[in-house]
Amino acid sequence: MIVVLVGYMASGKSSVGRLLANKLGYDFMDLDDFIESSEGKTITEIFESKGEIYFRKKESESLDKVLQDSNRLVLSLGGGTPCYGNNMERLKTHKNAISVYLKTSIPVILHRVANEKAKRPLIAHLKTEEALTEFVGKHLFERSQFYNQADHIVVTDNNEINHIVEQIILKLY
Ligand code: S3P
């Protein structure tokens, strides 16, 4: 089985994914890390030097490759991965993959990303709190239609990481 975590930026996909993999005795992979090592650049550098369209193409190819070659894996996707091309469709039709949407509310996301905008190219240019709030609100609304297609949904707000992992495990078995 491949457990695929989807959700908006800062929804906890990587930290939850690591702990979940540990509890299941599975490997863990973050798709952004996979792209960074295959390209030899950080995500920010890829956006800057080659642009978002190039990044989305690599993201899609990387998803295919990982889904094809893996088993007993927890895979954390980037926030945009399920929302481009037919990535969500491919996840849903993959015989061995189960997707889980880590659902996080706007205030919690805003609180988490406020101090780390620099490493997130899609929001790095937003100068004011108002601009960030407006962007995240609209963006999450647009993306929710993709996230909501996941096999399971787990609300992460105010939940301790161990509790989130327990909830995911209960849904998997
Ligand atoms: C993106 C989210 C990022 C990364 C890239 C684009 C997005 O991943 O893939 O900056 O489109 O939401 P995280 O969700 O891990 O921050």
Side-chain angles (χ1 to χ4, degrees):
M1 177 164 64
I2 307 174
V3 184
V4 184
L5 301 184
V6 307
Y8 200 70
M9 286 179 264
S11 56
K13 299 179 296 281
S14 301
S15 15
V16 169
R18 269 194 195 89
L19 186 63
L20 177 64
N22 191 279
K23 292 244 158 116
L24 295 174
Y26 279 20
D27 290 330
F28 170 75
M29 187 188 290
D30 182 307
L31 194 68
D32 281 343
D33 293 346
F34 181 87
I35 299 168
E36 288 186 338
S37 49
S38 57
E39 291 287 298
K41 289 189 174 78
T42 65
I43 300 296
T44 302
E45 285 165 353
I46 300 171
F47 268 74
E48 276 170 11
S49 62
K50 308 238 169 136
E52 184 174 355
I53 293 173
Y54 177 87
F55 171 76
R56 295 301 173 195
K57 188 163 164 269
K58 287 294 143 191
E59 183 178 47
S60 220
E61 288 169 6
S62 305
L63 177 66
D64 268 350
K65 183 159 180 31
V66 174
L67 288 179
Q68 207 171 37
D69 296 347
S70 315
N71 193 20
R72 297 179 65 84
L73 177 75
V74 176
L75 173 67
S76 293
L77 300 186
T81 320
C83 317
Y84 287 87
N86 60 353
N87 294 350
M88 195 65 203
E89 204 48 46
R90 291 211 307 275
L91 270 183
K92 290 196 317 183
T93 51
H94 192 284
K95 58 182 184 336
N96 207 20
I98 295 202
S99 53
V100 181
Y101 170 25
L102 298 186
K103 188 171 182 175
T104 309
S105 70
I106 295 171
V108 175
I109 291 168
L110 288 171
H111 182 73
R112 289 187 190 159
V113 298
N115 295 321
E116 43 176 55
K117 283 193 296 182
K119 62 176 184 184
R120 300 184 192 275
L122 291 181
I123 55 172
H125 64 287
L126 300 167
K127 298 279 179 283
T128 64
E129 204 184 311
E130 291 72 36
L132 184 64
T133 306
E134 195 190 333
F135 178 87
V136 171
K138 281 189 186 157
H139 205 207
L140 184 57
F141 177 74
E142 286 161 12
R143 287 182 164 188
S144 295
Q145 57 173 311
F146 297 97
Y147 298 151
N148 281 322
Q149 293 177 41
D151 297 312
H152 302 288
I153 299 179
V154 170
V155 174
T156 66
D157 287 355
N158 304 321
N159 272 338
E160 210 255 316
I161 184 162
N162 276 298
H163 182 62
I164 297 169
V165 168
E166 293 300 320
Q167 278 183 279
I168 297 174
I169 292 174
L170 284 176
K171 288 183 189 279
L172 293 179
Y173 295 103

